[in-house]
Amino acid sequence: MSQVETDDRLTIVEQNDIQRIEPPNWWIGFKNLSLQLLVHHPQISKRTPYISYQGVSIEKVHHADSPNYLFIDLSISKGTKAGRFNIVFKKEGEDDLTQTYELKSRIKPAEDYLGFNSTDAIYLITPDRFANGDPENDIVENLKEKKIDRNDGYARHGGDIKGIINNLDYIQDMGFTALWPCPLLTNDMPQGSYHGYAITDYYQIDPRFGTMEDYLEMSSKLSEKGMKLIMDQVANHCGVEHWWMKDFPFKDWINHQEHYENNNENWEGVKAITTNHRRTTNQDIYASKIDKKNMNEGWFVSAMPDLNQRNPFMANYTIQNSIWWIETANLGGIRQDTYPYPDKDFMSRWAGEIMNEYPNFNIVGEEWTSNPLLIAYWQKDNANKDGYNSNLKSPMDFAMQEKIVKGINDEETWATGFIEIYRALANDFIYVSPSDIMVFPDNHDMSRIFTQLHGNVVNTKMALSYILTLPRIPQIYYGTEILMHDFDKPGDHGLIRTDFPGGWDGDEVNAFTGKGLNDEQKDMQSYLKKLLNYRKTSSAIHEGQTIHFAPENGIYVLFRTDNNETVVHILNKNESPVELNLKRFEEIGLNGKTLTNIITDASVVWQDKFLLEDRGSVILTTKSD
């Protein structure tokens, strides 16, 4: 207990009698003046809450099905000052319970929360596998999984936030402008807890990754470098060991709750009612009700309970949690996992409320589909026949990723090879804003790009260079720059998420310094670094017009151009030297101009013909510096 002096100079006695109040604090100055507190404490429903603080009033108190919850609707008026106040829970004949709550001042205007966009290049990290900056937190005795085994692809390896912080210079020097770590919140699961997607506390950093202070330090240091932090969030499901699974507030807090409660004593031996994964039911005008229900209400896997966002308290909880993290950690974006699995009307509201509060923010949603029509459906303001507006600015471009791999791997014929990539980009007419879509060579859930391209370095460079010159937001998975792969067991998640060499004391190979890398790895690292750093200042790549020419003779040419610059991207599958006739490209207006090769710095005059000496990609620019 301590004395706290509030901004209006009223002294209160700080107390923390309540087991859990979420959100744990809030802020003044939001457009939405309402706040709903989840209060969890034994028999709290038998008490009545009171608040005496200017500008804050209790609008309504909701009782849950469990006697251990209250949900309190607060109204925070526009003129409310930042400060602390006590919420007093009274019951006749018993001592009061008091919880001190804080309303903070916001650190910057809402408009200054700038989300990632096409000027960015995002580095995706599986934190447990990147770098171990603090071995002291490898094992936390009060958590269920205590195993550290770097030889086991599904055990924890010890990577943490400190490890990321220690290597931010490397990430920046490579040319990345934004960082997306897989979830860092507590996953107190008995096994497989390293990946982060079975969250057991939505307000706590997993202590094996570090502390809240570590997370905020990482965000602050990224900001100092002009970089953005993207938080990986999960609205669809939690982990089965989440604290509320032992005391649900309502009978419909999760989907198939009754089935779980009837079988939870022997849950490992009972098959959960899992989703059918038929994601097209979200758009299908012929879809049956049962298929839609099974898709949206089924559990993702038996260890991940499906959250019921149709419950209004769960909906408020999820939205407030996202906003709390944006404000707390000064986020530069959110990546939302399994986007089409939750209730889609809720997801529209979730994204809409965030973007209403932060108009320059951004959210990327994962919809794993090869169908551009489905990608388009999920983008904000798409003209959907059912009237649905997702409010999601940035869906993910799995369709383009698939076609890039196929187009590079396949033999060049009239209907295969580069033409598949050309046709994929031609589908951009269906998108409201192609440059807001996120494209990638691979990620933490699929075989690494080097594996998908059968270990061909030249083909890997072609894929990466094309991705980094497209009208898109590019994301690169850690280790791509050193040709990390999963050849031994293609598609195995543990292998895909291999430790980054040099992230652990005693590693014989250190990719941060180059020690022990082979010549191909060093060359790829240098190649990607050169391309990424060039991309940082290329207005043509960021926002220029896109013009591409149908592939001919095993060559595909794409241009990005604006008033300041033209970037030429050439993909060539010919094994022998070949001359490219430049007269075909006269409409671009480059005749007689001197261009520079972005990778080699060599100069070339664009006139008549251009000799392509080697198979691979060539990237040229009209910029002279």
Side-chain angles (χ1 to χ4, degrees):
M1 183 182 303
S2 63
Q3 294 216 330
V4 176
E5 198 171 76
T6 63
D7 285 356
D8 57 5
R9 319 319 288 173
L10 293 176
T11 300
I12 64 169
V13 176
E14 181 176 356
Q15 289 182 234
N16 295 287
D17 296 336
I18 302 299
Q19 284 186 359
R20 187 181 294 269
I21 287 190
E22 294 178 342
N25 65 274
W26 203 242
W27 293 265
I28 57 172
F30 284 120
K31 293 177 185 175
N32 185 348
L33 302 178
S34 299
L35 172 65
Q36 186 171 87
L37 299 179
L38 176 156
V39 183
H40 186 227
H41 191 86
Q43 300 298 312
I44 194 66
S45 63
K46 293 181 167 51
R47 293 177 176 269
T48 302
Y50 295 89
I51 293 173
S52 179
Y53 189 78
Q54 189 170 355
V56 178
S57 59
I58 296 176
E59 296 295 303
K60 191 171 183 180
V61 177
H62 305 269
H63 289 79
D65 295 326
S66 166
N68 304 321
Y69 288 88
L70 284 178
F71 289 82
I72 306 173
D73 291 346
L74 300 184
S75 175
I76 304 167
S77 67
K78 286 186 177 180
T80 304
K81 293 181 180 180
R84 296 189 182 192
F85 57 87
N86 283 335
I87 307 173
V88 181
F89 297 85
K90 292 183 175 290
K91 181 184 178 184
E92 188 174 349
E94 295 190 14
D95 292 340
D96 293 346
L97 296 178
T98 301
Q99 183 69 31
T100 302
Y101 200 79
E102 183 176 12
L103 290 176
K104 298 182 178 182
S105 295
R106 300 173 72 180
I107 61 172
K108 64 183 183 183
E111 293 76 14
D112 291 350
Y113 284 83
L114 303 180
F116 56 89
N117 55 45
S118 60
T119 70
D120 289 303
I122 299 165
Y123 197 53
L124 166 61
I125 287 174
T126 299
D128 182 63
R129 307 297 166 85
F130 186 63
N132 189 352
D134 182 9
E136 294 297 316
N137 63 24
D138 286 358
I139 294 174
V140 177
E141 288 299 331
N142 65 345
L143 298 182
K144 293 178 177 63
E145 186 172 23
K146 300 173 177 62
K147 178 182 177 183
I148 288 284
D149 185 356
R150 292 182 66 196
N151 295 314
D152 182 346
Y154 294 87
R156 298 192 78 95
H157 291 192
D160 51 31
I161 298 170
K162 284 286 189 186
I164 298 173
I165 291 172
N166 293 344
N167 294 291
L168 288 180
D169 285 345
Y170 168 82
I171 298 169
Q172 182 186 38
D173 290 345
M174 277 298 300
F176 293 102
T177 63
L179 178 67
W180 158 18
C182 291
L184 290 161
L185 301 185
T186 296
N187 264 239
D188 192 11
M189 301 290 286
Q191 59 187 19
S193 65
Y194 77 94
H195 59 69
Y197 289 96
I199 295 167
T200 57
D201 191 321
Y202 281 95
Y203 283 96
Q204 183 186 64
I205 297 295
D206 194 303
R208 292 163 296 193
F209 288 136
T211 64
M212 176 66 82
E213 289 71 27
D214 293 333
Y215 188 66
L216 299 185
E217 180 186 356
M218 178 173 67
S219 177
S220 176
K221 291 194 170 179
L222 283 166
S223 294
E224 290 170 8
K225 294 175 179 295
M227 300 171 71
K228 298 165 185 172
L229 175 60
I230 299 169
M231 186 176 195
D232 202 336
Q233 297 189 348
V234 189
N236 179 64
H237 52 263
C238 63
V240 76
E241 298 293 338
H242 193 288
W243 61 265
W244 59 42
M245 297 294 290
K246 296 174 177 59
D247 183 18
F248 291 111
F250 294 97
K251 293 174 183 175
D252 62 350
W253 193 245
I254 64 170
N255 290 315
H256 301 295
Q257 185 168 316
E258 184 178 2
H259 173 74
Y260 171 75
E261 291 180 310
N262 289 340
N263 296 282
N264 65 359
E265 293 300 321
N266 187 31
W267 189 244
E268 300 224 0
V270 175
K271 180 172 174 55
I273 302 174
T274 54
T275 175
N276 57 21
H277 297 284
R278 301 303 181 188
R279 299 186 299 277
T280 53
T281 57
N282 282 300
Q283 299 85 14
D284 185 358
I285 60 174
Y286 307 121
S288 65
K289 291 180 181 178
I290 188 63
D291 284 346
K292 287 184 175 184
K293 181 181 176 71
N294 288 346
M295 162 60 201
N296 295 121
E297 297 182 22
W299 289 27
F300 199 75
V301 295
S302 61
M304 296 177 178
D306 202 69
L307 304 179
N308 178 22
Q309 300 88 12
R310 296 177 308 283
N311 179 302
F313 301 96
M314 172 64 80
N316 287 336
Y317 182 93
T318 305
I319 292 166
Q320 290 177 170
N321 178 258
S322 293
I323 290 173
W324 189 88
W325 279 109
I326 294 171
E327 251 350 277
T328 296
N330 188 26
L331 297 182
I334 290 172
R335 181 264 186 181
Q336 184 58 252
D337 187 54
T338 55
Y339 205 86
Y341 285 83
D343 180 85
K344 73 177 188 180
D345 291 329
F346 164 74
M347 293 308 295
S348 172
R349 178 189 161 198
W350 173 81
E353 292 206 23
I354 291 170
M355 296 305 295
N356 180 56
E357 290 290 352
Y358 305 95
N360 298 318
F361 196 67
N362 201 6
I363 302 166
V364 59
E366 179 199 28
E367 157 61 300
W368 195 320
T369 179
S370 301
N371 187 346
L373 295 176
L374 298 185
I375 297 170
Y377 181 89
W378 289 108
Q379 190 169 37
K380 180 180 185 289
D381 295 335
N382 194 59
N384 295 320
K385 286 189 175 181
D386 62 1
Y388 182 75
N389 192 341
S390 70
N391 293 308
L392 177 71
K393 198 172 178 182
S394 295
M396 297 178 81
D397 202 348
F398 283 90
M400 180 64 77
Q401 190 279 337
E402 181 180 284
K403 291 301 184 184
I404 289 171
V405 170
K406 186 168 174 50
I408 291 176
N409 276 334
D410 285 359
E411 179 186 354
E412 286 297 304
T413 68
W414 173 256
T416 63
F418 285 147
I419 191 64
E420 297 174 84
I421 306 175
Y422 172 84
R423 286 195 300 248
L425 189 59
N427 284 331
D428 274 14
F429 74 92
I430 66 169
Y431 297 132
V432 172
S433 179
S435 64
D436 285 322
I437 297 171
M438 183 178 290
V439 71
F440 44 91
D442 57 22
N443 63 25
H444 57 295
D445 288 327
M446 63 168 64
S447 268
R448 286 186 171 268
I449 187 63
F450 192 48
T451 303
Q452 293 185 54
L453 295 173
H454 310 306
N456 188 305
V457 175
V458 171
N459 285 356
T460 303
K461 286 182 177 179
M462 282 201 281
L464 292 171
S465 63
Y466 186 70
I467 283 168
L468 290 169
T469 52
L470 281 177
R472 293 288 193 278
I473 303 166
Q475 166 255 298
I476 305 292
Y477 192 34
Y478 81 100
T480 299
E481 70 269 32
I482 55 165
L483 300 173
M484 282 171 63
H485 59 79
D486 51 306
F487 291 128
D488 291 344
K489 237 176 144 180
D492 179 77
H493 282 190
L495 190 56
I496 291 165
R497 304 160 185 174
T498 300
D499 291 351
F500 192 77
W504 281 254
D505 288 344
D507 283 0
E508 292 183 6
V509 177
N510 189 330
F512 297 115
T513 65
K515 175 191 170 186
L517 295 179
N518 63 38
D519 290 342
E520 282 188 338
Q521 290 175 311
K522 289 178 181 177
D523 177 64
M524 179 58 82
Q525 195 176 44
S526 173
Y527 179 86
L528 196 53
K529 182 176 181 178
K530 191 110 183 199
L531 184 50
L532 284 165
N533 277 289
Y534 181 83
R535 192 185 187 282
K536 277 184 179 180
T537 59
S538 174
S539 59
I541 294 177
H542 293 168
E543 53 196 22
Q545 181 186 6
T546 304
I547 305 167
H548 66 160
F549 292 75
E552 289 183 356
N553 305 317
I555 302 170
Y556 173 32
V557 185
L558 174 142
F559 297 84
R560 301 295 311 282
T561 182
D562 67 4
N563 293 330
N564 302 311
E565 174 193 21
T566 296
V567 171
V568 185
H569 186 268
I570 305 169
L571 290 176
N572 170 36
K573 280 192 186 174
N574 292 281
E575 298 292 346
S576 302
V578 60
E579 285 189 332
L580 178 65
N581 188 336
L582 301 184
K583 290 183 179 179
R584 185 184 179 208
F585 313 111
E586 283 184 357
E587 65 190 80
I588 306 300
L590 292 180
N591 194 44
K593 291 187 177 181
T594 299
L595 286 80
T596 303
N597 187 308
I598 289 171
I599 303 301
T600 67
D601 297 322
S603 295
V604 60
V605 177
W606 189 271
Q607 196 162 9
D608 297 332
K609 295 178 180 179
F610 181 61
L611 179 64
L612 296 170
E613 297 183 353
D614 301 302
R615 174 182 164 70
S617 63
V618 175
I619 316 153
L620 306 172
T621 177
T622 56
K623 282 172 70 174
S624 58
D625 52 310

